[in-house]
Structure formats: structure tokens, C-alpha cells
């Protein structure tokens, strides 16, 4: 079975461990968000790609959910001793090796998709990890503060400001001129099932969908498309997805996120357009899996199912994945 998942960071990585456990023989392709990427000290850092790679490859810090197990921060301490920041982005010594290898390969002209494959050769995540694009698309956040209106890098808003300063706008810079990385559109069009893990609908899944061609590929794939809500009972399970949803005017609820993605209406309603060409589907989802507390959620054009969604451990996560696959009918 060919599974394709659009993935952000920590929540998606944990979900993908469940996918691998539920479908040990499946070919899994992960399309990773690179809008969180940042260049620090001349090094290119890809947080969401690394979080998926480390989590599935066995190197993740279980305590933090990001970065390496057994990490030390001596280089970061030395940088701080020189007064060189930023202090709000924790650069671990082991993690630095990943950024050094990635940066030297990028500087040698290798595209990010090849670099990611090369780094994954060490970690053997058991999935094909593709960046959403090989071009640099960085999420920046427009805020109003004492300095007036300005844009800060997503990581600064997320880590230094803890998303506590309202975002006037969340902008994936240069997404409109980017192209999907090799294999991305085929992975969506040729999948047996497409999954939206419980990632941030705005800065993770939303950023991937902002790459020209990706949203259309999901809307048109013959594969069933099923998403898992990152919101339970009106609150984000992790991270600060609520701050991101508020920024785009979407209520922080499982129903609102499902409606935001939109149902595909694969049922009777998807009649051909007037000129006979298949009408462009309204949304992306055939199925939306919500927690039992949100069982009343309605997403027009999609089937809603509910079950406990807290990924407390691997068996719980695997059960959630099985429920999503059942909703997909695969
Ligand atoms: N998250 C934090 O909460 N604090 C950090 O200092 C931090 C550093 C960091 C370094 C490398 C990396 O790959 C991820 C890191 N993250 C950190 C997580 C990261 O900010 C988030 O995973 C995403 O960018 C948002 O999903």
C-alpha cells in the first residue's frame, strides 16, 4: 500500500510512528514542511524535516520532541559567551552536525531533496522524506509591537515570543513562486491513501498546501484523503496552533479546522460542471477524524468519525492510525 502524508513537526512525527507500526509493509512518503526552516550562524536548519527524521530514525529527544537524545549544548553556551545569539533557538551539539552536513551539501549545489535523502541514509526513518519544495520558502509573521508593524521569522515568533504577540498575518514567503520538490505531486496522485496528521493546519499543513500545485493534487487525487484533528475540545493538543488559527480567522475547534480544509464532496454532490468537465472539488477531505469530545462536528462533503485522539503512546497512536485508515476505507 502507498501512503502519502503531509507533515509538520512533532505531532506529525509521532503520528507517523503509528503509521509505520500499523502498516509495516507500506511504502510511506512524507511530504515535509520546510516553511519553519531558518539559517543561523550560516547553517541551514530544517526543524520539521529533522523532527520527522530523528523521530522515525530513533534519534529524537523523547523529552523535548525535537532535537537529539542525549544532546549537549556546549557550542550554544560558547556562542552565548561571545554574546552571539539568538539564545531562543536551542542549537544542540549533535544536531549541529546535521546542519553542517546539510549546509555543505546545499552549498555544493545539491537540492534539498537530495540532501534530505542523503542525511536519511544514516537514520533510515523507514519512509521517503521529501521536502515540500527545493526552493527557500520561509514562514514569517507580521506583528505589531513597540517597534511598529514588522515581520519576524516564524521561529522567533514561535520560540522567543511564544506566539503570545498576535500575528497580523502569517506569510509563507515566496511560496507563490516555488515548485513542488520532485516526487511530491506523484506521491499525492499515485497514493492509495493520503493522510493529514494532526499537524498545525496553518504553518505546517497550510504551508505545504501553499506550494503551487499541491492543493490541486490533493483535491484531485483518486486516493481517499483523511485528516486527523490537531484540536481536541477547543484546544490545541500541542504547540500553539490556536494562535495560528486565530491569525487566519478560523475558530480553534475540530469542526472549524475540518471545514477550513473542506470536504471533497465525493458523494452525489460532485456532479460534473456545466461544461461537462469534472467540477473542481470544493475541499480536500473525504474523512475527518475527531476526538470523542468533538463527535458532533460536521464537515460538509466529508465523513466525520470520532475516537480518543491523544497519542499517549505508540499503541494508542497506532489505534488512531487504524481508525483513520478505516475511515479512508483502506
Ligand atoms: N522548539 C523549542 O520549543 N525550543 C527550541 O529551542 C527549539 C530548537 C530547535 C532546534 C532544532 C530543531 O530541529 C527544532 C527546534 N525546536 C525547538 C522545535 C521547532 O521550533 C518546532 O519543531 C517547529 O519549527 C515548529 O513546529
Amino acid at each position: 500500500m502507498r501512503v502519502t502524508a503531509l507533515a509538520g513537526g512533532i505531532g506529525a512525527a509521532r503520528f507517523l510512528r503509528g503509521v509505520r507500526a500499523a502498516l509495516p509493509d507500506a511504502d510511506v512518503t512524507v511530504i515535509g514542511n520546510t516553511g519553519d526552516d531558518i539559517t543561523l550562524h550560516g547553517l541551514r536548519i530544517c526543524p520539521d524535516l529533522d523532527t520527522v527524521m530523528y523521530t522515525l530514525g530513533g534519534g529524537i529527544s523523547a523529552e523535548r520532541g525535537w532535537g537529539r537524545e542525549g544532546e549537549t549544548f556546549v557550542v550554544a553556551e560558547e556562542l552565548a559567551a561571545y554574546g552571539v545569539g539568538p539564545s531562543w533557538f536551542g542549537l544542540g551539539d549533535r544536531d549541529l552536525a546535521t546542519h553542517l552536513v546539510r549546509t555543505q551539501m546545499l552549498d555544493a549545489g545539491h537540492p534539498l531533496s537530495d540532501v534530505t535523502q542523503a542525511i536519511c541514509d544514516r537514520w533510515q526513518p523507514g519512509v521517503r522524506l521529501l521536502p515540500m519544495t527545493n526552493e527557500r520558502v520561509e514562514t514569517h509573521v507580521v506583528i505589531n509591537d513597540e517597534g511598529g508593524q514588522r515581520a519576524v521569522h516564524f521561529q522567533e515568533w514561535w520560540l522567543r515570543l511564544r506566539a503570545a504577540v498576535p500575528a497580523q498575518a502569517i506569510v509563507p514567503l515566496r511560496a507563490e513562486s516555488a515548485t513542488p520538490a520532485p516526487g511530491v505531486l506523484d506521491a499525492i496522485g499515485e497514493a492509495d491513501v493520503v493522510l493529514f496528521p494532526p499537524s498545525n493546519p496553518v504553518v505546517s499543513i497550510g504551508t505545504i498546501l501553499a506550494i503551487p500545485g499541491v492543493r490541486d493534487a490533493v483535491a484531485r487525487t483518486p486516493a481517499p484523503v483523511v485528516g486527523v484533528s490537531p484540536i481536541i475540545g477547543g484546544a490545541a493538543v500541542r504547540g500553539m496552533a490556536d494562535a495560528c488559527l486565530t491569525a487566519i480567522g478560523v475558530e480553534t475547534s475540530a469542526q472549524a479546522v475540518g471545514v477550513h480544509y473542506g470536504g471533497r464532496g465525493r458523494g452525489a454532490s460532485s456532479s460534473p460542471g456545466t461544461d461537462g468537465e469534472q467540477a473542481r472539488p470544493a475541499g480536500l477531505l473525504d474523512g475527518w477524524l475527531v476526538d470523542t469530545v468533538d463527535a458532533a462536528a460536521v464537515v460538509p462533503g466529508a465523513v466525520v468519525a470520532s475516537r480518543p485522539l491523544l497519542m499517549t503512546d505508540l499503541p494508542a497512536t497506532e489505534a488512531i492510525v487504524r481508525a483513520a485508515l478505516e475511515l479512508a476505507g483502506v
Side-chain angles (χ1 to χ4, degrees), residues 36 47-48 50-51 66 88-90 95 154-155 158-159 162:
D36 292 5
D48 282 355
D50 290 349
T51 297
W66 54 268
W88 42 263
F89 194 87
D95 197 29
F154 168 76
Q155 292 295 347
W158 196 252
L159 302 183
R162 307 305 303 156

Side-chain angles (χ1 to χ4, degrees), residues 1 14-15 23 38 45 55 61-62 82 94 104 131 157 172 180 182 217 224 247 253 266 272 280 285 306:
M1 180 189 296
R14 290 202 172 133
F15 180 82
L23 298 171
I38 187 169
I45 298 164
T55 301
S61 159
Y82 282 111
R94 293 177 182 276
Q104 70 185 31
W157 183 65
S253 73
R266 274 291 166 92
R280 178 185 154 81
L285 297 176
S306 65

Side-chain angles (χ1 to χ4, degrees), residues 213-233:
V214 174
R215 174 179 290 276
D216 249 8
V218 176
R220 295 178 188 285
T221 180
V225 179
V226 170
V228 178
S229 176
I231 305 296
I232 296 180

